[in-house]
Amino acid sequence: MKNYFACLILGLVILEGCQSKAEETNKEAPQKITVVNEVEQKAEVQKVTNNAATILSKKEVPILCYHNIKNFDASAGPMTKVYSVKPADFAAQMKALSVAGYHTILPAQLYEYLVHDGPLPSKPIMITFDDTRGEQYSIGAAEMEKYGFKGVFFVMTVSINRPNYLSKEQIKELSDTGNVIAAHTWDHHMVTKYSGDDWNTQLVKPKAKLEEITGTPVSYFAYPFGLWNTAAIPEIKKSGYQMAFILSTKRDSIDPLYTIRRMIVSGTWNTEGMMKATESTFTK
């Protein structure tokens, strides 16, 4: 009997000790969580936000701009030759970029790099497409997929579902498979001629339509013909776009995020010429 009471008392002492240690551990846990949260909050407060001058001073990421991917012959007009790349040449260019070690990035990553000094992969590049052509899906996206490349498709919404243009289903699939769908106005009228309700027609409504199709925010815009003026930038901002893309002309010193440079890939270049142009155009 004595042994029974001795064991009982010993068990109660051990249990009380365990409970005390558990209570001490529980008291310490909230303090540890608080410390972690404070560190996270400080990191958020200390996040870099670059001004326009700093953004302009950063090394540019090469951004390629494709339009048509189709065959043409020597008798084709100069505009066709500049704005069209033959399918075999496009395939060779994607392979050359991969072999050279390029990695595609998308606009959100470019924004973080420019504004918050976010990281980039080695040899970053962005591949973009204008004007909603159907072969950008059937040839462009399919060829890029071989190398794990993703692209940005700037869509003019008047063309959706027309023959030889992207369908709603193709736009949705491009978005769902990791590409970015962005706006290129309703009908490709140049921004420098807008007035009155043009801003709503060409900026606001296309954005809403593409968001309805993709189910994701549309935050990027490309100027038709690459033409822009300072009067357009406040309207583009007001319409909810985070960045806007021009061609290989001078960027705006006040709003460089709304004048991101791109290079048209000409159909008159061979693969070696395209690679050299990519390096020289974006080298500061």
Side-chain angles (χ1 to χ4, degrees), residues 10 21 40 53-54 64 91 105 120 136 144-145 147 164 170 192 208 211 216 230 242 251 254 259 261 272 276 279:
L10 179 60
K21 288 180 180 180
E40 290 175 348
T54 302
L64 307 183
I105 67 167
L120 291 176
Q136 296 171 2
M144 288 194 300
E145 190 64 31
Y147 307 101
N164 302 319
Q170 290 170 335
T192 53
E211 289 176 341
T216 60
T230 54
Q242 192 177 50
R251 294 176 288 173
I254 298 173
T259 49
R261 296 173 69 244
E272 183 181 1
K276 287 182 177 179
E279 294 170 3

Side-chain angles (χ1 to χ4, degrees), residues 226-247:
L227 299 175
W228 63 281
N229 57 19
T230 54
I233 293 176
E235 296 292 340
I236 295 170
K237 288 182 180 180
K238 188 167 63 178
S239 299
Y241 295 100
Q242 192 177 50
M243 292 194 298
F245 294 74
I246 60 174
L247 294 175

Side-chain angles (χ1 to χ4, degrees), residues 40-282:
E40 290 175 348
Q41 289 171 0
K42 288 178 181 178
E44 186 67 25
V45 170
Q46 293 172 356
K47 192 173 185 179
V48 173
T49 301
N50 293 323
N51 59 23
T54 302
I55 291 171
L56 288 166
S57 70
K58 294 175 75 69
K59 181 177 175 59
E60 289 183 87
V61 172
I63 305 178
L64 307 183
C65 176
Y66 289 94
H67 290 79
N68 301 318
I69 307 175
K70 66 178 184 179
N71 286 310
F72 58 89
D73 57 32
S75 64
M79 293 297 286
T80 296
K81 290 180 178 178
V82 169
Y83 285 91
S84 302
V85 173
K86 295 177 180 179
D89 290 337
F90 182 83
Q93 291 168 12
M94 295 301 103
K95 181 177 180 179
L97 290 172
S98 178
V99 169
Y102 281 98
H103 301 273
T104 55
I105 67 167
L106 296 174
Q109 195 171 2
L110 178 64
Y111 180 89
E112 286 299 311
Y113 162 69
L114 293 173
V115 178
H116 301 304
D117 292 341
L120 291 176
S122 60
K123 301 191 75 170
I125 196 165
M126 190 182 296
I127 301 172
T128 71
F129 301 86
D130 285 7
D131 297 353
T132 329
R133 302 294 302 190
E135 67 267 15
Q136 296 171 2
Y137 168 85
S138 60
I139 300 174
E143 199 64 43
M144 288 194 300
E145 190 64 31
K146 294 178 181 179
Y147 307 101
F149 291 168
K150 300 299 178 183
V152 186
F153 294 79
F154 289 103
V155 175
M156 51 182 185
T157 51
V158 71
S159 301
I160 297 173
N161 287 334
R162 289 185 175 181
N164 302 319
Y165 287 89
L166 294 174
S167 66
K168 286 184 178 180
E169 292 75 19
Q170 290 170 335
I171 291 170
K172 172 65 171 169
E173 184 179 339
L174 286 169
S175 176
D176 288 348
T177 53
N179 300 283
V180 168
I181 301 300
H184 196 39
T185 74
W186 174 57
D187 64 355
H188 211 265
H189 281 175
M190 59 183 68
V191 169
T192 53
K193 295 185 179 296
Y194 292 175
S195 63
D197 197 51
D198 290 338
W199 302 108
N200 184 55
T201 300
Q202 301 288 354
L203 298 179
V204 178
K205 288 183 177 180
K207 183 179 189 295
K209 185 176 183 66
L210 293 172
E211 289 176 341
E212 179 184 357
I213 292 171
T214 64
T216 60
V218 171
S219 303
Y220 314 106
F221 175 81
Y223 300 91
F225 311 104
L227 299 175
W228 63 281
N229 57 19
T230 54
I233 293 176
E235 296 292 340
I236 295 170
K237 288 182 180 180
K238 188 167 63 178
S239 299
Y241 295 100
Q242 192 177 50
M243 292 194 298
F245 294 74
I246 60 174
L247 294 175
S248 298
T249 55
K250 187 177 180 180
R251 294 176 288 173
D252 185 68
S253 61
I254 298 173
D255 284 300
L257 292 177
Y258 291 86
T259 49
I260 303 291
R261 296 173 69 244
R262 300 185 295 162
M263 178 189 81
I264 291 178
V265 179
S266 173
T268 62
W269 297 341
N270 59 22
T271 300
E272 183 181 1
M274 184 278 292
M275 296 294 285
K276 287 182 177 179
T278 297
E279 294 170 3
S280 62
T281 300
F282 297 95

Side-chain angles (χ1 to χ4, degrees), residues 12-28:
L12 291 172
V13 169
I14 292 172
L15 178 61
E16 182 178 356
C18 291
Q19 288 177 338
S20 298
K21 288 180 180 180
E23 289 172 358
E24 290 174 4
T25 301
N26 290 335
K27 288 178 181 178
E28 291 174 0

